[in-house]
């Protein structure tokens, strides 16, 4: 089992920035968390389905949802087992609970149903 713990959420005005962190622990080696797992961010707004935000795979390839491209940056500090999401130019529609996740078994797909491990979520609220 891999445990994921997010931090860094909060309230910010439109146009502002926040940086989320997600630190992994547990069966890091046996799960292949660093080299095999796709490490992702998802978000879920009230009344909406959980949606993909960003992913970084085991060889460092990064992909973003169109809605955040150019505004959000995801990165990984392997030594600290910590995944980051730097969010800039925030909009009200970015308001959601943000979850980090790990997809460690094929098939690797962006649908939330493929995720093997979830964090508890952290609230991000953007207001004008």
């Amino acid at each position: 089992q891999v445990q994921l713990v997010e931090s860094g959420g909060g309230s910010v005005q439109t146009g502002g920035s926040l940086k989320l962190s997600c630190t992994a622990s547990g069966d890091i080696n046996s799960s292949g968390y660093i080299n095999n797992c796709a490490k992702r961010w998802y978000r879920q707004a009230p009344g909406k389905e959980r949606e993909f935000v960003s992913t970084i795979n085991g060889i460092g390839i990064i992909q973003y949802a169109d809605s955040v491209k150019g505004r959000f940056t995801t990165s990984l500090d392997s030594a600290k087992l910590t995944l980051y999401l730097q969010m800039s130019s925030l909009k009200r529609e970015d308001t959601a609970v943000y979850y980090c996740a790990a997809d460690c078994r094929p098939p690797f797909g962006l649908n939330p149903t493929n995720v093997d491990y979830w964090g508890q979520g952290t609230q991000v609220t953007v207001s004008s």
Side-chain angles (χ1 to χ4, degrees), residues 74-94:
T74 195
S75 60
L76 176 69
D77 186 328
S78 298
K80 295 182 178 179
L81 300 176
T82 299
L83 179 71
Y84 299 100
L85 185 67
Q86 176 69 54
M87 305 183 293
S88 303
S89 302
L90 282 162
K91 306 175 182 180
R92 290 187 65 181
E93 51 264 43
D94 295 318

Side-chain angles (χ1 to χ4, degrees), residues 21 52 74 95-96 98 106 113 116:
S21 301
F52 163 75
T74 195
T95 295
Y98 283 71
T113 58
D116 298 299

Side-chain angles (χ1 to χ4, degrees), residues 6-11 17-22 85 87 122-124:
E6 301 103 333
S7 61
S11 297
S17 300
L18 277 175
K19 187 174 185 177
L20 307 182
S21 301
C22 171
L85 185 67
M87 305 183 293
T122 186
Q123 177 71 47
V124 172

